[in-house]
């Protein structure tokens, strides 16, 4: 047997949403009848501009992609008025989280993240031999006071998901900035903003404007959620020029494929698509929340494109999960996030949300 260090064998495998093809195979429902509300994907699909752009460059797939992602970085730089030397691209924002961890962590270092926070933080912490320190949440939300009290001289990295997945909670700008100002400069604070595009304008992150003041923050963004490119795998990080230069040494030379780069460039230009996605999401959040209210099901009000809702106990949650699944609606159990009584549903198109509500309502247990 190959000997594997315990920090690796201790890692709990990441559990993603069940793929449509797998459910079709297992339940025997045609793929076209299955509604996947399990991975916070954009129900509108890929922006038409991005689709067109990928089709036009299909034959370029035989060449290596631009390892520096020059044009995509230019587009991000232009859109947010940030120096392109502050930008690093990733194979999904998961890649950014992992590169950040590999860049700053040595075995035995401590990494702080919240209870009920995104599962990838623990994976990248453990895979680097570091120790995860879990800050207890308050009302399912990150409690930054708890983060501060857990900082030691071994702390090297802090992960904050804002909004958080799977709870959908949001930390106010001022509270977050005040927190960052109290974290020692030697500790990297990763602000994971995968759902920022879904926020209303007055709630959107302004963390790019903090970069001049704080050299120890890294803002992570994704094209997988509102931009609808989950299958292409592309995201980016924005931080100090020095940090980004070091992170670039750690990443794989061609970590973002050509089609992802091309699609991301066009997606960034398609404001109409993002506005439409946001509007549909806001309507869906209202529809689903109202249904929960009507059914007296407790839920966590969400700033993302998903809602987690609470059932009596874990057994009941799994019965609802299977009832929905057997009717072709895939949602996500979140016991591995310390929320065994909960399920998480992603917001879909209106018809998809209505199917979810229908099967939620007729579950007899
Ligand atoms: C979905 C998600 C991501 C994005 O992952 P990608 O690798 O960009 O697909 C990052 N952080 C959180 C909290 C998420 O929920």
């Amino acid at each position: 047997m190959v000997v594997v260090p315990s920090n690796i064998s201790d890692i709990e495998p990441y559990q993603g949403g069940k793929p449509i093809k797998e459910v079709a195979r297992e339940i025997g429902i045609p793929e076209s009848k299955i509604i996947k509300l399990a991975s916070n994907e954009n129900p509108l699909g890929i922006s038409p501009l991005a689709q067109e752009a990928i089709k036009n460059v299909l034959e370029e797939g035989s060449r290596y992609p631009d390892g520096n992602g020059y044009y995509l970085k230019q587009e991000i730089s232009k859109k947010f008025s940030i120096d392109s030397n502050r930008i690093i691209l990733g194979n999904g924002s998961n890649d950014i989280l992992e590169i950040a961890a590999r860049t700053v962590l040595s075995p035995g270092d401590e990494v702080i993240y919240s209870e009920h926070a995104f599962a990838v933080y623990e994976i990248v912490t453990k895979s680097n031999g570091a120790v995860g320190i879990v800050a207890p949440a308050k009302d399912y939300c990150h409690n930054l006071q708890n983060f501060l009290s857990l900082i030691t001289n071994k702390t090297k990295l802090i992960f904050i998901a804002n909004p958080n997945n799977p709870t959908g909670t949001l930390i106010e700008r001022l509270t977050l900035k005040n927190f960052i100002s109290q974290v020692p400069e030697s500790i990297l604070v990763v602000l994971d903003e995968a759902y920022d595009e879904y926020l209303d304008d007055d709630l959107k992150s302004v963390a790019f404007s903090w970069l001049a003041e704080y050299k120890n923050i890294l803002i992570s963004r994704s094209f997988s959620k509102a931009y609808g490119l989950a299958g292409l795998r592309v995201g980016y990080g924005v931080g100090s020029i020095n940090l980004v230069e070091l992170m670039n040494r750690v990443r794989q030379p061609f970590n973002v494929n050509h089609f992802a780069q091309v699609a991301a460039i066009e997606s960034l230009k398609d404001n109409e698509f993002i506005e439409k996605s946001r509007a549909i999401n806001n309507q869906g959040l209202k529809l689903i929340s109202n249904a929960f209210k009507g059914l007296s099901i407790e839920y966590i009000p969400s700033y993302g494109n998903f809602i987690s809702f609470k059932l009596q106990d874990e057994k009941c949650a799994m019965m609802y999960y299977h009832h929905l699944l057997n009717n072709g609606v895939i949602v996500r159990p979140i016991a591995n996030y310390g929320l065994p009584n909960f399920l998480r549903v992603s917001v879909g198109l209106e018809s998809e949300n209505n199917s979810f509500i229908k099967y939620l309502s007729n579950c007899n247990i």
Side-chain angles (χ1 to χ4, degrees), residues 9-290:
S9 54
D10 283 353
I11 294 174
E12 294 242 12
Y14 181 82
Q15 294 168 0
K18 237 173 157 30
I20 290 175
K21 283 184 195 301
E22 190 175 312
V23 174
R25 227 168 33 233
E26 290 176 4
I27 315 278
I29 304 176
E31 280 178 36
S32 59
K33 292 262 164 61
I34 293 173
I35 296 170
K36 185 178 177 211
L37 302 176
S39 300
N40 303 344
E41 295 145 341
N42 188 332
L44 291 177
I46 303 185
S47 125
L49 288 186
Q51 266 197 53
E52 191 57 30
I54 305 170
K55 282 186 196 146
N56 289 337
V57 298
L58 266 186
E59 75 278 15
E60 294 175 8
S62 62
R63 301 280 178 199
Y64 277 100
D66 174 4
N68 292 317
Y70 178 84
Y71 293 104
L72 176 52
K73 283 200 238 172
Q74 286 297 309
E75 202 60 40
I76 297 166
S77 158
K78 203 169 75 186
K79 184 167 176 100
F80 299 107
S81 306
I82 34 184
D83 184 338
S84 63
N85 291 324
R86 288 186 179 278
I87 304 167
I88 176 169
L89 304 180
N91 183 34
S93 61
N94 272 283
D95 195 26
I96 298 295
L97 306 176
E98 184 171 20
I99 296 166
R102 292 218 317 269
T103 304
V104 303
L105 295 179
S106 303
D109 287 343
E110 292 178 357
V111 180
I112 306 176
Y113 41 80
S114 179
E115 181 187 14
H116 314 310
F118 189 43
V120 166
Y121 307 152
E122 183 177 299
I123 295 174
V124 302
T125 296
K126 286 189 176 167
S127 61
N128 284 288
V131 180
I133 306 290
V134 177
K138 182 165 185 282
D139 299 328
Y140 306 109
C141 192
H142 286 35
N143 181 328
L144 298 181
Q145 218 47 51
N146 288 343
F147 275 69
L148 286 176
S149 68
L150 290 169
I151 292 176
T152 71
N153 54 16
K154 287 187 179 167
T155 310
K156 292 288 151 50
L157 178 59
I158 293 175
F159 283 113
I160 291 182
N162 206 34
N164 182 43
N165 169 22
T167 59
T169 50
L170 183 76
I171 307 164
E172 250 180 69
R173 291 167 178 172
L174 274 181
T175 312
L176 185 56
K177 184 153 191 268
N178 183 35
F179 166 76
I180 292 167
S181 71
Q182 294 177 72
V183 174
E185 286 174 352
S186 59
I187 301 174
L188 176 63
V189 180
V190 173
L191 304 174
D192 178 350
E193 301 183 340
Y195 300 95
D196 189 74
E197 294 81 10
Y198 282 114
L199 295 171
D200 289 334
D201 290 340
D202 57 332
L203 295 175
K204 274 198 199 314
S205 167
V206 291
F208 289 148
S209 70
W210 302 342
L211 286 163
E213 197 173 345
Y214 303 106
K215 296 197 166 41
N216 61 326
I217 60 174
L218 179 78
I219 299 145
S220 161
R221 294 277 180 101
S222 176
F223 285 97
S224 301
K225 306 292 158 56
Y227 284 109
L229 302 180
L232 288 177
R233 314 302 305 128
V234 52
Y236 59 98
V238 184
S240 80
I241 293 176
N242 180 44
L243 175 74
V244 163
E245 194 270 323
L246 290 164
M247 286 174 68
N248 268 314
R249 299 187 200 183
V250 170
R251 70 172 173 85
Q252 290 187 26
F254 301 103
N255 61 334
V256 183
N257 74 73
H258 184 49
F259 306 123
Q261 292 187 34
V262 167
I265 290 168
E266 294 310 309
S267 297
L268 279 174
K269 296 177 189 163
D270 199 344
N271 290 327
E272 200 184 313
F273 180 79
I274 288 291
E275 286 313 313
K276 193 172 163 195
S277 303
R278 189 157 64 143
I280 285 187
N281 189 57
N282 284 336
Q283 285 163 16
L285 283 174
K286 272 199 203 107
L287 182 78
I288 296 172
S289 313
N290 283 333

